[in-house]
Amino acid sequence: MDIDRIIEKAGGADEIAALAGVGLEAVRKWRQSRMVPTKHWPALLRVPGIALQDLTADLTTTETQQEQERETDVSNPCPPGANAALVLADGTVLWGRGFGAHTEGAVGELCFSTGMTGYQETLTDPSFAGQIVTFTFPHIGNVGTNTDDNEAPKMAALGAVVKEDITAPASWRSHEPFAAWLRDHGRAGISGIDTRAITRTLRDNGPQTAILAFPENGRIDTDSLLNRARQWPGLEGMDLAKEVTRPKRAWTEGVWHSTKPVRENRRRVVAMDYGAKDNILRCLVTAGCDVTVLPATATAEEILELKPEGVFLSNGPGDPAATGTYAVPAIRKVLDANVPVFGICLGHQLLAQALGGKTYKLERGHRGANQPVKDVETGRVEITSQNHGFAVDEKSLPADVKVTHVSLFDGSNEGIASTTKDAFSVQYHPEASPGPSDSFYLFERFVAVMDRRAKAGA
């Protein structure tokens, strides 16, 4: 199967993705594995010039037989009481009880989150795209779900791993049980798992690829699942911002129940949506911004056409180096236009690249609502909410970029500022959803920069 030739016949990556009903990331995986999954063949066979022999040319008889055997043979049947499995690429098989939507296997990077609250916000944070979230707190789902706590319209995480079985909701705010909410989003969860063992594995051995299976027919082939997990390429090199970004829109909603007075002199801000959490946008509004949200792929010309007084770079998933191929040139032009810039999480990493720095994959990511960060200039320690698996390489930063914040867990970079531009960013989430609100001042600092420039006539 000449996958490149097939994509070319279909009209390119965008066309074949639309035809098959998948994202561009799936097409990238097809290129890497040099094959198109058989379930997409009927759609591709409708394309003039693509024949069945094109799709099957390199499939050997042995491979075909193995595929048929996987459909009929079940190795390692479920132990009594189990109907789901979490299979790690290192060969570990964890049996449990599935809930939510059935799945033949959702594969991604397994991570853990240490937050004691906010599981709904966590799972809908677009920064978790491509990841299966293990919750270290045992009581997940016990307060149900509601329509207010989503950080995006769709659940971004691929699945949830929890220790205890889900109980009936015990909160007056609940609109729907957690398991039903997962079904609505087409995602699965698995309970009865030793989440402490997973946490130790990830702590000691770094990120692990895993696959979560909760099949409707109850048949689980762990050998096949392990093979799929080992074939997954990992998050390095993945641009997932395009998968989670949303179209251009105005955002007017502020923080709920805010006691801050409404500003009269509001500042025009363009927020770049690389996977923005809704509560970040609410914080910008509450701090005094009129916000226009643009998709991740917006050009510098599209940004500057709106005559912004400031540009905000949002959080998001995937490898910042991959997203940076199109985002960094736009950010550099914004900086050259002398427009103030404020970045968070992925936006922090993209700003660092635009200023001349580089990023790298952390051995252990930071995810949770209890991460201590030190302000280098003041010595003040903030307890922060975080979700990232990549970081800025401080050694790569040029002389005109200073470090402003560092992690007290591992010393990795948590904030930078340009000494020649009105541009600064932090790795953590000052909107704190979920988490503490120690860092809201950063939104006010951004507005203060724009106020100062307006007063000076800049």
Side-chain angles (χ1 to χ4, degrees), residues 83-87 98 103-106 188 190 211-215 219-220 225:
N83 61 0
L86 182 70
V87 180
T103 175
E104 293 299 318
I190 184 170
I211 184 167
L212 195 168
F214 176 36
R219 299 170 63 188
I220 299 176
L225 294 173

Side-chain angles (χ1 to χ4, degrees), residues 66 166 240 302 392:
Q66 289 175 343
I166 306 302
L240 296 178
E302 291 171 323
V392 171

Side-chain angles (χ1 to χ4, degrees), residues 138-163:
H139 305 297
I140 299 299
N142 58 351
V143 296
T145 62
N146 59 71
T147 57
D148 293 331
D149 289 347
N150 290 335
E151 288 298 327
K154 298 179 180 179
M155 177 174 158
L158 295 173
V161 180
V162 301
K163 180 179 181 181

Side-chain angles (χ1 to χ4, degrees), residues 70-358:
R70 284 196 296 269
E71 294 177 353
T72 58
D73 180 46
V74 178
S75 62
N76 301 321
C78 295
N83 61 0
L86 182 70
V87 180
L88 278 60
D90 66 0
T92 301
V93 178
L94 301 170
W95 296 99
R97 293 172 290 279
F99 57 93
H102 288 287
T103 175
E104 293 299 318
V107 60
E109 182 180 276
L110 184 64
C111 65
F112 65 88
S113 176
T114 59
M116 295 176 65
T117 61
Y119 54 83
Q120 186 177 342
E121 293 97 320
T122 296
L123 294 173
T124 53
D125 178 355
S127 295
F128 276 110
Q131 295 175 301
I132 300 170
V133 182
T134 301
F135 290 97
T136 60
F137 188 66
H139 305 297
I140 299 299
N142 58 351
V143 296
T145 62
N146 59 71
T147 57
D148 293 331
D149 289 347
N150 290 335
E151 288 298 327
K154 298 179 180 179
M155 177 174 158
L158 295 173
V161 180
V162 301
K163 180 179 181 181
E164 302 293 342
D165 288 341
I166 306 302
T167 60
S171 171
W172 63 271
R173 296 182 68 234
S174 178
H175 294 172
E176 187 176 32
F178 184 42
W181 180 84
L182 281 173
R183 282 196 298 273
D184 291 345
H185 287 268
R187 295 288 195 265
I190 184 170
S191 64
I193 299 296
D194 186 347
T195 55
R196 298 183 91 180
I198 291 177
T199 302
R200 287 193 295 268
T201 294
L202 300 179
R203 180 197 66 191
D204 297 340
N205 303 320
Q208 284 276 330
T209 297
I211 184 167
L212 195 168
F214 176 36
E216 190 169 6
N217 63 10
R219 299 170 63 188
I220 299 176
D221 182 348
T222 55
D223 290 338
S224 175
L225 294 173
L226 178 60
N227 184 52
R228 288 177 58 190
R230 287 177 172 171
Q231 289 181 354
W232 194 68
L235 289 179
E236 286 191 83
M238 282 193 184
D239 170 29
L240 296 178
K242 288 180 180 178
E243 303 289 332
V244 298
T245 191
R246 288 178 271 174
K248 177 182 177 180
R249 63 198 188 278
W251 185 276
T252 59
E253 186 179 84
V255 174
W256 296 308
H257 310 302
S258 173
T259 59
K260 297 182 180 296
V262 178
R263 281 176 51 112
E264 293 184 1
N265 298 321
R266 304 183 69 78
R267 299 302 170 199
R268 295 186 310 277
V269 168
V270 167
M272 296 301 299
D273 181 4
Y274 304 115
K277 295 172 67 176
D278 286 353
N279 213 49
I280 290 179
L281 303 177
R282 294 188 187 104
C283 287
L284 286 169
V285 170
T286 297
C289 302
D290 284 333
V291 179
T292 300
V293 184
L294 291 184
T297 54
T299 64
E301 291 71 24
E302 291 171 323
I303 298 169
L304 297 174
E305 184 181 7
L306 297 174
K307 296 181 170 30
E309 295 175 276
V311 172
F312 171 76
L313 311 176
S314 83
N315 64 293
D319 187 340
T323 304
T325 56
Y326 57 86
V328 167
I331 297 169
R332 283 176 176 157
K333 290 183 179 179
V334 169
L335 292 170
D336 290 341
N338 203 28
V339 177
V341 174
F342 171 37
I344 286 175
C345 196
L346 177 60
H348 162 70
Q349 297 158 356
L350 294 174
L351 177 62
Q353 292 180 66
L355 292 171
K358 297 180 180 179

